[in-house]
Amino acid sequence: MKIDKNVENDGVIFMSIKGEDKGDGGALAKEPAGGSDCSGSEGDVTILAIESSCDETAAAVVRNGREVLSNIISSQIALHTVYGGVVPEIASRKHVEKINGCIRAALSEAGVTLEDIDVVAVTYGPGLVGALLVGVSAAKAISFAQNKPLIGVHHIEGHISANFIENKDLEPPFVCLVVSGGHSHLVVVKDYGEYEIIGQTRDDAAGEAFDKVARAIGLGYPGGPKIDAAAKEGNPDAFTFPQAKISDAEYDFSFSGLKSAVLNIINQAKMQGEELDQADVAASFQKAVVEVLVGHAIKACKEYGYDKLAIAGGVASNTALRTLMEKECAANGIKFFRPSPVLCTDNAAMIGAAAYYEYKKGVRFDLDMNAVPNLPLGDRERRFHAGKA
Ligand code: KG4
Ligand code: ZN
């Protein structure tokens, strides 16, 4: 997988992701990567997908759900770093500035025009309402002007569907661990677009815990990638942090106790005038999170009787999580699937993948579709009546 990067004058990073990664383990893609032959054939469904739920403006062209013809991401992360987190107003304003350029680039890199597009898909929730509205408005405008069907996609369903892109043979049912900045869900993907949530976080999401702990130990924002990098230099057994078990819901997660334990160690060290080894804290914290995530996911596969496990969301790009999950899956006879790291974090290709299966089921949204910041996962009733929710 090749990523062309360009830092623009305002600090926004413009990325074009090309090809597919077949060397990152997991199940290998059987078909050739998209991008070279754009002519398509009759019966093909070519989707223009848009994502703007947080701090990435993204557009992609995806054919038949699994072939990515173009994948453009405009990342604002550098703009928010000085504030220690995403500032919603800045995010919305930048989305407005960047969205048309991203869509234009996605079409041109795919070698298609708006006339060639069969469906316009967009993330309509969950996320920051002002940010979501930019993508939703753009998608509605194109759908109306071109008279093309419109499909709203749940952001997390997009993350799960990222697994379909590089794993052409992955089909439901399977178990998926979804770990992002706002979600920690253990889900059984029963069919395309059909989800049963079997576990979720009681407090912080996994990514949120990474971000908060990174801030506390002085690594700054964005916390996940910084802890991942720092942990490589640290001793994961330097500290023993608690791994919460919830007695009445064995697949639920809780990370707030772990976060407090890290804060206690920091305060203790301060009071005793000792200097903490950042890398040791990062590695020990990461180990505690990863062991819980992997433990729950493997247990779910075994108890529910599934032999396929996928991971999704920003935290799924974590090196330690990928390594331990791979090892445990191999030890338990479970086939492990994971997107390349750049498809784990927010992108529009995953939205195009999810939208394809919705399209095949006959899902269509009206032009009164609205952004739904707290959209629940798998709520089909709500998705069919998005504008009226
Ligand atoms: O899926 P995502 O890009 O956005 C949301 O939908 O939330 O996930 C962002 C989250 C952030 O909390 C970030 O710190 C975390 O994913 N993250 C990571 C890594 N890369 C991103 N966490 C751990 N290790 C990483 N390598
Ligand atoms: Zn996300």
Side-chain angles (χ1 to χ4, degrees):
M1 186 165 295
K2 190 167 157 272
I3 305 176
D4 287 343
K5 266 192 198 180
N6 179 33
V7 181
E8 298 181 343
N9 291 340
D10 56 1
V12 167
I13 305 164
F14 179 91
M15 287 177 276
S16 171
I17 295 106
K18 296 187 172 121
E20 291 175 13
D21 196 353
K22 300 192 199 82
D24 189 24
L28 301 185
K30 274 189 181 157
E31 290 166 22
S36 49
D37 170 21
C38 296
S39 53
S41 54
E42 217 178 306
D44 280 347
V45 179
T46 306
I47 298 183
L48 169 65
I50 298 170
E51 153 68 40
S52 70
S53 65
C54 191
D55 60 345
E56 263 99 20
T57 323
V61 177
V62 179
R63 186 188 283 153
N64 300 334
R66 304 205 183 210
E67 191 185 352
V68 178
L69 302 186
S70 63
N71 189 11
I72 305 293
I73 302 173
S74 173
S75 170
Q76 311 170 5
I77 207 151
L79 308 190
H80 300 282
T81 299
V82 282
Y83 303 102
V86 177
V87 182
E89 289 78 5
I90 295 177
S92 311
R93 203 178 318 141
K94 276 295 156 193
H95 285 313
V96 173
E97 286 175 27
K98 302 293 174 183
I99 195 138
N100 285 344
C102 286
I103 294 171
R104 241 180 261 123
L107 292 170
S108 109
E109 293 216 356
V112 298
T113 65
L114 282 180
E115 282 73 42
D116 301 318
I117 296 296
D118 299 306
V119 179
V120 185
V122 63
T123 305
Y124 76 105
L128 302 170
V129 69
L132 288 164
L133 277 171
V134 178
V136 166
S137 306
K140 289 206 287 193
I142 295 170
S143 160
F144 177 65
Q146 295 289 323
N147 196 21
K148 307 274 166 142
L150 175 68
I151 295 184
V153 173
H154 189 290
H155 181 72
I156 294 302
E157 296 187 21
H159 273 303
I160 294 170
S161 304
N163 281 286
F164 298 134
I165 295 170
E166 292 160 299
N167 302 299
K168 310 292 185 201
D169 56 351
L170 174 61
E171 303 218 22
F174 58 90
V175 172
C176 188
L177 172 73
V178 188
V179 270
S180 71
H183 291 76
S184 297
H185 277 34
L186 199 51
V187 176
V188 176
V189 182
K190 296 182 142 181
D191 197 351
Y192 294 107
E194 299 292 335
Y195 308 94
E196 183 189 347
I197 300 168
I198 57 174
Q200 53 193 305
T201 184
R202 293 287 180 106
D203 36 59
D204 292 348
E208 201 179 346
F210 269 94
D211 293 336
K212 286 178 177 169
V213 166
R215 198 174 307 140
I217 59 175
L219 284 171
Y221 174 86
K226 294 208 164 148
I227 288 195
D228 194 346
K232 294 196 167 91
E233 313 298 323
N235 172 11
D237 300 314
F239 303 96
T240 306
F241 289 127
Q243 300 185 6
K245 286 206 170 50
I246 294 152
S247 52
D248 58 334
E250 54 182 343
Y251 296 111
D252 277 3
F253 304 102
S254 167
F255 297 111
S256 68
L258 170 57
K259 182 188 65 194
S260 303
V262 175
L263 294 178
N264 283 344
I265 279 188
I266 296 171
N267 289 337
Q268 248 172 28
K270 259 190 206 148
M271 280 181 342
Q272 288 163 0
E274 286 168 7
E275 207 167 303
L276 268 185
D277 187 316
Q278 243 183 3
D280 282 351
V281 181
S284 305
F285 160 78
Q286 180 175 269
K287 181 183 173 194
V289 175
V290 163
E291 283 185 351
V292 167
L293 295 176
V294 172
H296 280 36
I298 297 285
K299 189 169 188 221
C301 281
K302 287 188 0 198
E303 288 192 4
Y304 281 75
Y306 293 104
D307 62 355
K308 287 185 279 186
L309 174 61
I311 54 173
V315 182
S317 61
N318 182 269
T319 327
L321 174 65
R322 294 165 85 89
T323 307
L324 186 63
M325 198 69 105
E326 174 145 42
K327 187 172 156 239
E328 289 301 316
C329 279
N332 288 283
I334 298 165
K335 203 167 175 192
F336 176 43
F337 299 87
R338 68 267 203 255
S340 290
V342 73
L343 292 177
C344 288
T345 45
D346 290 350
N347 65 86
M350 67 186 195
I351 302 303
Y356 173 74
Y357 296 100
E358 297 293 284
Y359 177 77
K360 297 293 268 184
K361 284 186 173 177
V363 173
R364 304 289 183 270
F365 278 65
D366 296 333
L367 284 173
D368 60 358
M369 173 171 71
N370 205 353
V372 186
N374 58 351
L375 185 68
L377 179 68
D379 188 340
R380 299 199 68 79
E381 184 59 24
R382 192 138 184 210
R383 286 189 291 151
F384 275 103
H385 301 287
K388 294 138 199 149

